[in-house]
Amino acid sequence: MRVHKLTFAALAVAAGLSLTACQSDDASTGKSDSSSAPTASSGSNTSSSGGSSGTGGSDQSGAKASTGTGSGGSGSGGTGTAAGTGSDVNAKVGKCRTDELEVTAKDNTIDGDTDRTVVVEFKNGGGRDCVISGYAGVDLKTNAGTLSAKRTGQETTSAVLKNGKSTYFPVSYPFNKSGGSGVRITGLVVTPPNETKSVTLNWPGAATLPVTDGSGSSVTVGPVGSAGQGG
């Protein structure tokens, strides 16, 4: 009986060892499977990521690029546009319009001059700078009709007339030395350069002009800017 017990014990031990070995192998196999599973999963994820990359990854990348571009475009482009617009607005100075100019006239005859002179003033009251150049239109109203002044032919220059500042031009006419009544002047009509709207002023000069033989106007006008400070 003792022999049988020992044999049974030996068999039990052997069986236990065999079971342990199997469990060890199973565990090792499971470990191996476990380690290979992430690899397969990783490969699967990579493939999935590749598919996702074509969607989600691309979207995220695109969103960043769009944000960067949008920010840069908005900042740079917006500023550039504003600066360009401001620059264009500030660089362009329009011509002086009749309604923006305060037009006055006064006698400026100096003793010893061969002709009498009336100086016309254009004062910029339009609230902005403007460009003025050339000859103004000048007509004298007389009891014999309207008399248009001739241009002197002096060279003209273009200038920016600052808001609140003035520029001047002369109107010259002969002394009436005929001893007669001559041609009576009743008014002065001035049209700023490059304008069609006129301003009618009281005539500040001598009351009469000498009667001419009709060979031409005895009144001349100089270009804007060719007279001094109105006196």
Side-chain angles (χ1 to χ4, degrees):
M1 292 296 294
R2 183 175 182 82
V3 173
H4 286 224
K5 288 181 179 179
L6 289 173
T7 301
F8 289 146
L11 288 172
V13 170
L17 290 173
S18 176
L19 180 60
T20 302
C22 288
Q23 289 178 345
S24 177
D25 289 342
D26 290 342
S28 175
T29 302
K31 183 176 181 181
S32 175
D33 291 343
S34 174
S35 64
S36 65
T39 303
S41 175
S42 174
S44 174
N45 287 344
T46 302
S47 175
S48 174
S49 173
S52 174
S53 174
T55 308
S58 176
D59 287 346
Q60 290 177 0
S61 174
K64 289 181 181 179
S66 176
T67 300
T69 303
S71 174
S74 174
S76 175
T79 302
T81 302
T85 302
S87 178
D88 291 341
V89 170
N90 293 332
K92 186 176 181 179
V93 180
K95 70 176 182 178
C96 297
R97 309 307 298 256
T98 301
D99 290 338
E100 298 176 314
L101 299 172
E102 298 171 18
V103 187
T104 56
K106 72 175 185 178
D107 182 59
N108 194 42
T109 302
I110 300 174
D111 291 341
D113 285 352
T114 56
D115 289 319
R116 289 184 178 273
T117 303
V118 165
V119 168
V120 178
E121 175 184 2
F122 286 144
K123 183 176 181 180
N124 183 0
R128 67 178 182 99
D129 297 348
C130 59
V131 174
I132 192 165
S133 65
Y135 285 84
V138 172
D139 295 308
L140 299 187
K141 288 184 174 182
T142 74
N143 62 337
T146 300
L147 178 65
S148 296
K150 294 188 304 182
R151 297 179 178 183
T152 60
Q154 291 175 257
E155 184 177 353
T156 64
T157 58
S158 179
V160 174
L161 184 59
K162 297 290 185 180
N163 182 47
K165 299 299 182 180
S166 297
T167 188
Y168 308 84
F169 69 89
V171 178
S172 300
Y173 61 102
F175 285 91
N176 183 8
K177 299 178 180 178
S178 64
S181 60
V183 177
R184 184 166 56 87
I185 304 172
T186 59
L188 171 64
V189 182
V190 177
T191 308
N194 304 306
E195 282 288 273
T196 57
K197 186 174 182 179
S198 302
V199 176
T200 300
L201 307 172
N202 292 326
W203 175 248
T208 61
L209 290 171
V211 177
T212 65
D213 59 6
S215 60
S217 175
S218 58
V219 182
T220 59
V221 56
V224 172
S226 62
Q229 301 296 313

